[in-house]
Each structure stands twice: as C-alpha cells, then as structure tokens.
Amino acid sequence: MIIHTHKGYRPGLLSVLAAGSLVTCGLAMAGGLKGQVLGAGEPVAQSTVTLWAASAGAPKQLAQARTDAQGRFSLTVPGAGQGTSLYLVAQGGQSAANKAAGNNPAIGLITVLGSKAPATVTINEMTTIAAVWTHNQFINGTAIQAQPLQLKIAAGNVPSFVNLATGGWGGTIQDPLNSGQTPTMGNFATLASVLGACVTQVRPDACQTVFRAAQGPTGAAPADTLTAAQAIARAPWYQPERTFKALDVLYPVPAGKNMRQVPYMPYLQVAPSAWVLPLKFDGGGYRAGGKAMFDAEGNLWVGNNFTIGWQASDALWQGNASKFDPNGKPLSPITTGFTGGGMQGGTFGAAIDLKGNVWLSSYGSKSITVFDKTGKPLTPPNGINFDGRLGLMQGIITAPNGDMWALGLSKRQLLHFPKGDWNKGRIVCEGDSAEPCKSFTAPFHLAIDQQDRIWVSDSSFHVIRFPTSDPSQAQKIEVKSNNSGLNIDSQGNVWVTNRFGPGLLGMAHMVDMALHLKTKGVLSASDYLTKQMSEQKGGSGSVTVLRPDGTQLPGSPFKGGGLPGPWAVVVDGNDNVWVSNFAMASSPIVQLCGVRTENCPPGFKTGDQISPPGGYVGGGLQLQTDIAVGPAGDVWAINNWQDIDSCYPGASEALSTRCGGQGVVIFFGMAKPVRAPQIGPAKPL
C-alpha cells in the first residue's frame, strides 16, 4: 500500500492495515465515518483516502484508508481539537467507468467536513469544486491552513453548494434565489463535468486536456484534478474559454443527439466571463442595504433604506437593520429586521465600535442608532439626534483610539463622539460655521489614515482632509468628479470612486446635479444622481488614487469597462481593490490591481482591472452601494436598488414594492482576507 505523507505529519504514527480498512494515528477515538469516492457518478476503487485536521498550523493527518471495489471506505475519526476543521482527500484509484485504464494517479478529490465529521460522506467532483472555491485563500495542494474563524466560515460555506452525505446539490445553490435566476449552477456543474472527464479518462488525453485548460497565468500545469480546480479558482478571470472549450472536446454532442453526455447538469451553453460561483442570500428584513460592516465574529451588519412590503420610494426611507452570519444565514427578524433606537432608513453610515456595538445612520429619522451585538437598541427611541438638530446622516467610522466620527449630508455636519460615548458627542461644525464644514458640499463618506487624518468624500469635485487633533485645519483636494466611496490602503494611498467619471459628460452631470441641489434641495439632487447613474454603461465612472500628500498617483484616475457607476471601494489583504457599481440592470463588481503590484497577476500595474472587461457578474447582482471583504476572503456585494422606475412617483402599482434591492451576493474566496471589524485601514488577518 502506498502511504501519502504530508508536511507536519510523522509517518511513524501510522499503523497500516489491509486495503479497504482503517489506518489511524494514536489519538483518542471520537466516532466512525463511512464514505464513498465517486468519479462522474461511478465508484473509484483503490483510492487512498486521507483524513486531515486543518488548523492555524500545518495540517495533521488523522487517518487513512483504501476504497474497495464500490469506492467505499470507513474510518475511525480521532478527536481533532478545538479550532480545527476536518477534511478528506482521495488520491489515485481506478474508475469503474473505465476499468481498462487502470490506476489513474491524476485523481485528486476533496471534501471539507468542518469541526465535526458526519456519519456518511461522499467525495466527488462536486465536493471538490465546493471545497476549493470556499477555501481558495487557504488551500495549497492537499494542505488547508487558516485561523479558526476562517476555517469555520469556509467549512460552513461548503453545504451551500453540496450535500456532504450524497455529494449532490446543496440547499442554497438550488434555492429559488439562485438556481434558475443565476448562471452559478451552470458554472459549477460544467467545472465538475470537466474534472470528471479526467477522473474517468473519457479519452486517453482527457487529463492533459483538463490540465492545459486549467493552467493559470503563473506556475506549471496542474498534476491532478485537485490542483486543476485550484488553478482555476485562483485566477477565475484568466482565459475562461479554455475550460469551456474543453467541455466540447471531452463531451461532444453525439451524432443525431441533442445533449452532451456529461455526468453533471446543467452545463453552460456559452463560455463564462470568469469561473466565479456567487450565491445570493436574503431575509432578516433586508431591503435596499446601504453600508455594511463585519463584526469580530464575521457577521455582516447593514442598514436598510426600506422595509419589506413597503411601496418604497426615494422620498420615504423607513428601513431597519439586518444581520447575516458569515455563511449568509439571516440572524435578524425575517420581515422587520432589528428595530428601535431611532433606526429609520439606513444610509451609507455603518461602523462597529471597540465594544462590538453597531452604529447606523438614518435618513428617515435624521439620527444615529446604536445596537448591541444581539440587535438590542441602546439609543433612545428617537436615536442620537442632538434635539432634532441633525439632518440627513451618512458616513460613520471608528477611529483606532475608539472615537466615532460621523457626517451629516444635508446640513454639512461633522460629529465627534469621544471613545464612542454618545452622551459626550458634539456637533463639531455645521454649514459655514467653521472648517471643515465650510469646505463641505454634501459630505458622504469618510476614512482615517495611518497619520490620524480623516479624508471625506464630498459628492463634489473635491475630497476634504483634516487632522483629528484639529479638524479646523482642513484641506480641499481636487478629484474632478462626483465622489462617493473612499478607502485607504496599507501605504496610505486614498482610493476614491468617481460616480460620473472625469470626462465632459461627467462634468455636465455634475452641473445639472448642482442645479438640482440649489433649486430643489438634497432629495432632488439625489434623485437626479441615482437616475443618471443607473443608466450608465461600462467605463462611465472612474477611480482616483491620491498619495498620502494629496497628489494623484500616476495614471489616476483609472477607468475600465467594469466601472459603469462606481460607488464604494474596499482594500483587501493584498492591497488589491474591490469596487461596487450602482449602474445598469445587473451591476458588476470589479477587482483592480493595487499599489503592491507583486500581489497582482504578471504584467498588471496599479489601477489595471484584474476582473474581466465587464467585471465579475452573476449571482443576482443588482445596483449596489457597498462591497465588503470578509475574514475568509469572501467578497460581499450589497444590492441596494433593483427597479429604478419603481423608486419614483408614477411607478406601476404591480411593481411598486420593487425599488429596494434584494439580498446580498457572496463571491467566495476571491480576496485576501482582512481583519474584522475594520477600524482604520484594512489589515490582513
């Protein structure tokens, strides 16, 4: 028997038994596990199945077995310890679909079980795709290594794609929000079928065909189906048509027939723009999410513009707060979300303070609400409103020292709460009373840099910067476009989204918007803004990058086909940049190469679009406001609006509740993880 060893495991602990029986190490026994290895639905005999425990250190081999003629195996599972995640790897073996081919060393399949092993499992191409994409940031060959929270999140995402016991479809991917509404099932099944062609060797050169198609922009060709899956997941944007063409080569439509004889359906009819597997999650009172923030446990909090069931419009914001667990399960009440404390129409203001409390700003109540981690409101029924002095509220952040800073858009206000104590909060300035408010036009969002300076996007041609020690020392920095989101990378550079872009058309929109603001007020200007953005196409917007000294980075502003209407921007643990879009019927999300180009694909420079020309699409994306990177590297897109015409007077009665965006969309394992909650510039986890 061949024993596959692994870094961090001592072969001397193994006691090798006969084929088809248990091989285990000397740990306390915790339970039995029975399983089957399948390739394209057929048993894989004589495959070596190894049970591993992933942790923050090198993975540990716990047990090993060899499959019988029916692909079955059994293991006794030792206790793995806290902070670990169990997974099974099947290597080599002989497919019952092609016994004449003999042993196939190119077989590499995996499934991830989480902290506790079920009684029965199946290992196949479907479980491999699910495990690799969800663990993309932590897997290398047969090794999975990550922090306990990351392992918990990634393992918890696997059942959304596959049933661990049967190896068939999981619950979320085939639910009504996904399945027939998005291409994710087609992407998934197509990939599984291509891997299956190598496992069963449908042609003598099947594995070579798969490996050539899967090879990424760097590195050698994969050696087995497990590393082939990883190569595709790491660079899903890279020449995706190759794997699609492999499907045609490996499973041609038989003469006189209508369909390919693939092991998994549905398969794609046209090549995807990228091999991404996004899923949509809804519930918990979610409707038209604004700003979102992850807490220390990886849960996502978001303030909603609207509430379920309302004939929502841009003139009536009454939304509450929603909370999702790290795997997309809603944790807030199903229809209303979390209520009280002044919450009424969440905006682009959300922050987690140093105590883990959630701060959300509102339009409807013109106030700020604070919830504890359970969703209990801590603020009074009218919220923090300074006796009715606040206007329409927007951005909120937590500074590293625990201070909270917030912006009022309509009254040009700056608020400060020392150490997060709202009883000691004050309005620093308002309107033309003092700087930095004198320099504000319609302050929207803010971020704090490594020098304790706050940068404010102003919905104007400028960004405003001031030191926290003396806000009156404000500086106006020109960006030449209407800006909304901004964030700061590890080098102190400030990335700013330009909603209209820097061109002549963008300037014309700015003039018209200013006219609406002056003659009809903030809501009229906001209506004009959202309507214009929703109709923009790829390349209409741009992203400006400012150095720490305020000068523009060479090449800035950056444009691309994936930037029809950029709204928010976040930085991942590699300093690459992710941008949401509020434009077109189904807006894309975009990944840009950041300042640390060593973390970008070969040949890419700062500002280049890593994602496909039109951005990453699918998953039920709608017009988005925020975008967020979670502790496991999952990228969450916040659907804000869907049917623009339903947001204004005169909307069709039948569509009158369809203004607000539906659900959050998660792109799994796409970004280098960052610490949560994000306080100050993003930091790798």
Side-chain angles (χ1 to χ4, degrees), residues 283-487:
Y286 184 95
R287 200 64 167 181
K291 187 78 178 75
M293 280 290 290
F294 289 104
D295 64 21
E297 298 173 349
N299 303 305
L300 185 95
W301 292 80
V302 60
N304 300 295
N305 294 175
F306 311 127
T307 306
I308 296 293
W310 284 70
Q311 292 176 311
S313 72
D314 201 23
L316 178 61
W317 289 38
Q318 20 58 26
N320 299 312
S322 295
K323 179 182 180 182
F324 294 88
D325 80 2
N327 305 120
K329 177 185 176 182
L331 299 176
S332 42
I334 184 171
T335 300
T336 63
F338 291 129
T339 63
M343 188 70 210
Q344 194 179 108
T347 65
F348 205 69
I352 310 291
D353 66 21
L354 296 187
K355 296 178 181 179
N357 298 319
V358 184
W359 294 56
L360 298 168
S361 61
S362 291
Y363 259 24
S365 61
K366 298 179 181 178
S367 71
I368 295 172
T369 300
V370 182
F371 293 100
D372 70 11
K373 64 176 61 178
T374 70
K376 175 185 175 181
L378 301 177
T379 41
N382 292 325
I384 303 167
N385 65 6
F386 291 89
D387 296 323
R389 292 175 58 193
L390 299 186
L392 303 175
M393 301 305 297
Q394 281 289 0
I396 306 174
I397 59 168
T398 305
N401 69 353
D403 289 1
M404 308 295 294
W405 297 82
L407 298 172
L409 180 139
S410 59
K411 291 188 175 182
R412 296 159 53 203
Q413 294 170 319
L414 175 68
L415 279 59
H416 179 220
F417 302 90
K419 305 304 179 184
D421 186 345
W422 58 83
N423 294 309
K424 296 181 180 179
R426 67 186 181 98
I427 300 175
V428 176
C429 60
E430 176 180 320
D432 291 329
S433 66
E435 291 287 7
C437 295
K438 279 185 177 182
S439 295
F440 291 164
T441 301
F444 188 79
H445 190 44
L446 68 171
I448 187 168
D449 68 13
Q450 293 88 342
Q451 301 178 53
D452 283 331
R453 301 177 302 181
I454 287 178
W455 299 69
V456 177
S457 61
D458 190 48
S459 307
S460 69
F461 289 99
H462 298 90
V463 166
I464 291 83
R465 182 182 70 191
F466 60 87
T468 59
S469 59
D470 186 0
S472 67
Q473 299 300 309
Q475 294 176 283
K476 293 178 72 172
I477 300 169
E478 190 171 17
V479 293
K480 298 183 179 179
S481 183
N482 180 289
N483 49 72
S484 57
L486 83 169
N487 238 306

Side-chain angles (χ1 to χ4, degrees), residues 64-88:
Q64 196 173 73
R66 186 76 66 87
T67 59
D68 63 16
Q70 298 303 313
R72 301 188 185 279
F73 64 92
S74 62
L75 293 168
T76 300
V77 182
Q82 292 185 343
T84 61
S85 181
L86 301 172
Y87 65 100
L88 291 162

Side-chain angles (χ1 to χ4, degrees), residues 149-180:
L149 177 61
Q150 297 174 315
L151 292 172
K152 179 181 177 182
I153 294 172
N157 285 329
V158 173
S160 292
F161 291 102
V162 293
N163 182 300
L164 295 179
T166 67
W169 292 114
T172 303
I173 194 172
Q174 60 178 335
D175 73 15
L177 285 177
N178 294 283
S179 60

Side-chain angles (χ1 to χ4, degrees), residues 22-64:
L22 171 71
V23 179
T24 184
C25 56
L27 298 175
M29 300 304 173
L33 172 66
K34 294 183 178 181
Q36 188 175 25
V37 179
L38 299 175
E42 297 291 335
V44 179
Q46 298 300 303
S47 181
T48 302
V49 179
T50 308
L51 175 66
W52 297 96
S55 68
K60 295 181 180 180
Q61 184 173 320
L62 301 183
Q64 196 173 73

Side-chain angles (χ1 to χ4, degrees), residues 207-226:
C207 291
Q208 289 72 26
T209 300
V210 173
F211 299 159
R212 284 195 299 269
Q215 187 171 1
T218 61
D224 58 25
T225 53
L226 178 55

